[in-house]
Amino acid sequence: MKKTFVSKEKLEEIIREIPTPFHIYDEKGIRENARLLKKAFSWNQGFREYFAVKAEPNPVILKILKEEGCGCDCSSITELMMAKAIGNGGSLTMFSSNDTPDEEYVFANDMGAIINLDDITMIESFEKTVGRFPKTMCCRYNPGGVFKVSNDIMDTPGDAKYGMTTEQIYEAFRILKEKGVENFGIHSFLVSNAVTNDYYPMLAKLLFELAVDLQKKIGCHISFINLSGGIGIPYKPEDQPNDILAIGEGVRKVYEEILVPAGMGDVAIYTELGRFMTGPYGALVTRAIHEKNIMKHYIGVDACACNLMRPAMYGAYHHITVMGKEDAPLTEKYDVTGSLCENNDKFAVDRMLPKIDMGDLLYIHDTGAHGFAMGYNYNGKLRSAEVLLHEDGSFEKIRRAEVPADYFATFSELPIYKTLMEEAAAD
Ligand SMILES: *Cc1c(COP(=O)(O)O)cnc(C)c1O
């Protein structure tokens, strides 16, 4: 059974101050998990996790992870600004972008971030806009084809837009070395939400072999290998969680087989995990506000896909607990819906749940990564608040809910703006 990290009583206390819907995060869970990851890779001297900011872009969360030794992995200038603001300047930030606007390289370079080039043409773009190359550069690799663990096809890198081909990455390293780059990193992201302990070790093997060959053929110094994100979490009650200690050991084994004999035992391992770091430690709290019986039985809640897009976008499963009814029998089959004028705005379809009464609190699990972050404003819906549950049980609003004035703010240059703001103020 999947557990909630907060009690019904605590939620009711929070709701007196911060109305539903909101995302809530568990500081204790985030810290303990970050420590476990660190332990799993403690055999590697230079190990660092660069938290994928896009998964949960809140500076308070970034700061907590910084305290646990994590850097930031950014994909845009806005994320870079947050990383810089929380003190992750210099090599504590990785800039793993793609289709990158030139000016973002300037910002990333100015703050001293490690630049991860997605494409060979970016060498020229970078030189043209930034000028000199920093001493350390990283390149993103795409091996193409299909990526299998045992006989299961995990994903098809050949269809992915990211990274450089094998031929290109050799060429890129050659050019960068000529231009004075001294330390090199290799990065690759092949599988998302991998629920297997074998993904990282297999990816590591691929990248370690490439690293040995690049070092031999180009004569460049490889200082780190970035295994990026992709470690999954158990969204469904029957999913087996990954064992991060086993994953760390699996990577160590290939490290000792491939890198150490090649005299490359000083290579640092980096990760850019998002989902694994915060996913299970966040939940969307929403209230049942309508019940509708037509061809199907619907429960309408006060959150919608704008607060959590994954079910609508990918048909993703998010477990739901009806607070206070944890042990009640699952007698009803519901579709749990939001209020968007979109029929895919459903948090659950044909889900067996206890009988829901209007006003019940629903706790939608595992929204701590790619949850709030993927929010949007369709139908004029506003983004929710974010709440942090501290280790001592106290709570803190780490982002207020949007109000209509926020939605109207980008009309500020139009004559109608004043009227809109009058409406917002009168509401
Ligand atoms: C999305 C992303 C991550 C994080 O992915 P998770 O699946 O959340 O672990 C890491 N690196 C890059 C470049 C990404 O695009």
Side-chain angles (χ1 to χ4, degrees):
M1 199 174 92
K2 282 179 79 86
K3 290 221 171 75
T4 62
F5 58 73
V6 57
S7 68
K8 180 163 182 264
E9 293 65 40
K10 192 73 198 182
L11 282 179
E12 275 162 357
E13 181 193 335
I14 295 170
I15 288 164
R16 280 198 284 279
E17 207 174 293
I18 305 162
T20 56
F22 55 80
H23 287 267
I24 184 164
Y25 305 96
D26 174 23
E27 178 173 3
K28 183 161 179 279
I30 292 173
R31 286 191 188 274
E32 285 175 359
N33 184 61
R35 288 174 199 159
L36 203 61
L37 172 73
K38 212 168 149 186
K39 184 170 167 213
F41 286 91
S42 56
W43 55 267
N44 183 260
Q45 269 250 312
F47 175 77
R48 188 179 301 283
E49 150 74 1
Y50 291 84
F51 174 64
V53 174
K54 73 165 194 247
E56 174 37 15
N58 187 304
V60 178
I61 304 285
L62 300 182
K63 199 82 185 276
I64 290 172
L65 286 165
K66 179 180 169 60
E67 285 166 14
E68 299 300 334
C70 303
C72 289
D73 161 41
C74 299
S75 57
S76 69
I77 195 160
T78 328
E79 291 182 357
L80 287 168
M81 286 171 181
M82 282 192 278
K84 186 177 166 197
I86 63 138
N88 272 353
S91 61
L92 287 173
T93 286
M94 180 79 54
F95 187 41
S96 291
S97 58
N98 72 93
D99 189 19
T100 315
D102 290 345
E103 62 276 14
E104 301 202 353
Y105 280 136
V106 177
F107 190 91
N109 188 65
D110 284 349
M111 72 181 269
I114 303 176
I115 314 268
N116 183 11
L117 297 177
D118 179 69
D119 189 54
I120 191 159
T121 59
M122 293 295 168
I123 297 178
E124 207 181 315
S125 314
F126 187 93
E127 191 168 35
K128 203 173 70 216
T129 40
V130 179
R132 284 189 44 194
F133 285 92
K135 282 202 164 55
T136 301
M137 291 289 288
C138 183
C139 290
R140 185 165 181 169
Y141 177 54
N142 183 336
V146 295
F147 187 77
K148 289 188 192 166
V149 171
S150 309
N151 277 324
D152 293 340
I153 294 180
M154 304 234 11
D155 222 323
T156 50
D159 292 333
K161 68 170 177 169
Y162 309 108
M164 307 184 191
T165 65
T166 308
E167 205 181 9
Q168 286 170 343
I169 201 165
Y170 280 83
E171 183 63 14
F173 273 46
R174 203 171 287 127
I175 297 169
L176 289 171
K177 182 163 184 266
E178 246 172 54
K179 296 191 181 292
V181 173
E182 291 170 14
N183 303 306
F184 289 80
I186 307 173
H187 167 282
S188 195
F189 187 160
L190 302 184
V191 175
S192 198
N193 194 32
V195 219
T196 157
N197 294 337
D198 296 332
Y199 168 59
Y200 254 15
M202 288 200 50
L203 172 67
K205 181 170 189 300
L206 187 91
L207 296 183
F208 293 170
E209 283 168 351
L210 176 70
V212 171
D213 201 54
L214 275 164
Q215 172 132 315
K216 201 164 72 194
K217 297 225 171 89
I218 318 277
C220 52
H221 175 240
I222 312 274
S223 59
F224 68 86
I225 289 176
N226 184 343
L227 300 175
S228 182
I231 303 290
I233 59 169
Y235 284 103
K236 295 185 177 158
E238 67 270 23
D239 286 347
Q240 266 304 327
N242 282 317
D243 178 350
I244 197 67
L245 296 178
I247 291 172
E249 267 311 294
V251 174
R252 185 225 280 259
K253 200 160 153 274
V254 252
Y255 190 97
E256 284 170 359
E257 267 165 33
I258 301 169
L259 288 182
V260 172
M264 295 169 71
D266 61 337
V267 171
I269 301 296
Y270 293 165
T271 56
E272 278 175 355
L273 296 165
R275 192 184 316 271
F276 180 79
M277 300 307 289
T278 52
Y281 315 109
L284 174 58
V285 180
T286 182
R287 212 185 264 290
I289 54 171
H290 294 105
E291 180 169 9
K292 176 168 181 171
N293 256 306
I294 47 170
M295 281 61 77
K296 296 186 85 174
H297 197 172
Y298 295 98
I299 294 294
V301 296
D302 62 5
C304 69
C306 294
N307 306 115
L308 176 66
M309 193 195 216
R310 298 185 70 259
M313 191 173 183
Y314 314 116
Y317 181 94
H318 278 266
H319 197 66
I320 296 177
T321 296
V322 183
M323 297 306 293
K325 298 184 177 173
E326 288 80 355
D327 300 318
L330 310 179
T331 52
E332 314 297 311
K333 189 194 268 188
Y334 293 123
D335 279 15
V336 178
T337 81
S339 52
L340 288 188
C341 303
E342 272 289 347
N343 199 42
N344 67 0
D345 182 17
K346 294 181 176 179
F347 293 114
V349 175
D350 295 334
R351 181 79 57 90
M352 294 308 295
L353 289 167
K355 183 174 175 347
I356 293 175
D357 296 298
M358 294 308 92
D360 277 356
L361 286 176
L362 274 61
Y363 175 107
I364 305 182
H365 292 248
D366 302 319
T367 71
H370 312 296
F372 178 94
M374 289 172 84
Y376 56 113
N377 283 125
Y378 191 46
N379 279 206
K381 297 291 179 182
L382 303 172
R383 291 179 180 81
S384 77
E386 294 187 288
V387 179
L388 180 65
L389 184 64
H390 290 297
E391 291 181 276
D392 64 1
S394 63
F395 66 93
E396 179 189 357
K397 181 158 52 173
I398 57 172
R399 190 194 294 259
R400 68 159 169 82
E402 282 180 346
V403 293
D406 296 314
Y407 186 89
F408 299 144
T410 44
F411 297 128
S412 61
E413 289 163 24
L414 299 184
I416 193 125
Y417 180 64
K418 198 165 153 277
T419 315
L420 289 169
M421 290 306 278
E422 279 163 14
E423 289 292 345
D427 179 40

